[in-house]
Amino acid sequence: MSADDESGRPDEVGVGPWPGGPGEWPRNADGSPDERYDPELLAHGDRRNVVDRYRYWTLEAVVADLDTRRHPFHVAIENWQHDLNIGSVVRTANAFLAAQVHIVGNRRWNRRGAMVTDRYQHVRHHPTVADLVAWADAEGLPVLGVDNLPGSVPLEGYPLPRACVLVFGQESVGLSDEVRAAAADVLHIAQFGSTRSINAGAAAAIAMHAWVAQHAAT
Ligand SMILES: C[S@@+](CC[C@H](N)C(=O)[O-])C[C@H]1O[C@@H](n2cnc3c(N)ncnc32)[C@H](O)[C@@H]1O
């Protein structure tokens, strides 16, 4: 339940202070304070966009818990011209619990679309495609490009490996030739209208959900 239901203030989300005050704050079986809980949040409320399971938890405790159950797929996006979709990709990767997000090219990216989810997600930078590919090789991870290019095969029905790297191109130019050359396959998402492509953030969400549908959804 949101505290807003009680306060009547629709502009507030999340929950208010932990009911009952400090004497009621969560404790371990031995009576010591449960260190996963943040005293500031317990005292003042938790307005973050986190699932109820993590209400009042410290950032570090949430990340540590996510790290125990991250999925083995990675996502990478090329960032040669400061693609504004990256924040959305990071947010979706957090929602679907990708192992890591890889930014290829420029290190800087616009965090606004991530809505703070980047703090809970491991985001790694590779200056070049060769760096990303060398890392994937070392990890034994197949690289799969995602783009609707000549020679691409349908994502629909494609058996995605459990552990893999899904690589997305950027909004203007799409997947680079280097990624196409390194990819085991390039996968396209079926389209039926007049536009040449969908938004890269939307394509990333569809591809990640395809992985979830094959490997993680109950
Ligand atoms: C604007 S699109 C790239 C350009 C596109 N190849 C074209 O011919 O216009 C940007 C990125 O979104 C993703 N994307 C967009 N539409 C897609 C689709 N139908 N299938 C797979 N990926 C897609 C890809 O990662 C692509 O590199």
Side-chain angles (χ1 to χ4, degrees):
M1 182 177 67
S2 158
D4 308 321
D5 301 335
E6 295 165 355
S7 69
R9 285 175 294 179
D11 54 331
E12 279 198 302
V13 296
V15 289
W18 185 272
E24 303 294 325
W25 286 1
R27 294 185 174 278
N28 298 312
D30 66 2
S32 61
D34 187 332
E35 301 288 345
R36 293 173 302 178
Y37 290 82
D38 184 331
E40 281 290 308
L41 297 174
L42 290 167
H44 302 296
D46 185 356
R47 306 296 175 185
R48 301 171 304 174
N49 177 15
V50 294
V51 295
D52 289 346
R53 166 183 181 153
Y54 294 134
R55 281 285 175 225
Y56 304 105
W57 283 34
T58 66
L59 172 67
E60 294 74 19
V62 174
V63 173
D65 192 68
L66 292 174
D67 284 347
T68 65
R69 54 193 186 85
R70 286 190 196 278
H71 293 137
F73 77 92
H74 295 243
V75 294
I77 183 159
E78 296 190 270
N79 183 36
W80 309 112
Q81 298 167 351
H82 299 293
D83 196 318
L84 292 173
N85 289 293
I86 294 177
S88 163
V89 173
V90 170
R91 182 178 181 175
T92 305
N94 171 288
F96 293 140
L97 206 50
Q100 288 184 344
V101 176
H102 302 262
I103 312 292
V104 186
N106 291 313
R107 181 183 291 275
R108 288 169 62 86
W109 55 281
N110 188 321
R111 283 170 163 69
R112 178 177 272 199
M115 301 290 283
V116 195
T117 54
D118 52 311
R119 296 191 191 163
Y120 302 85
Q121 189 64 40
H122 299 295
V123 180
R124 183 173 182 147
H125 174 245
H126 304 267
T128 66
V129 172
D131 293 322
L132 173 75
V133 172
W135 167 83
D137 283 349
E139 296 288 322
L141 295 170
V143 171
L144 292 167
V146 182
D147 206 337
N148 54 350
L149 292 165
S152 59
V153 298
L155 171 67
E156 298 81 13
Y158 185 91
L160 292 167
R162 271 188 68 74
C164 61
V165 190
L166 301 170
V167 190
F168 305 91
Q170 66 177 31
E171 198 51 38
S172 53
V173 292
L175 215 53
S176 67
D177 290 344
E178 292 96 321
V179 171
R180 293 170 72 175
D185 278 312
V186 176
L187 312 174
H188 65 251
I189 298 159
Q191 293 186 193
F192 304 92
S194 63
T195 184
R196 284 183 61 82
S197 64
I198 55 177
N199 167 280
I206 290 168
M208 284 187 247
H209 194 263
W211 186 96
V212 164
Q214 288 184 31
H215 296 293
T218 51

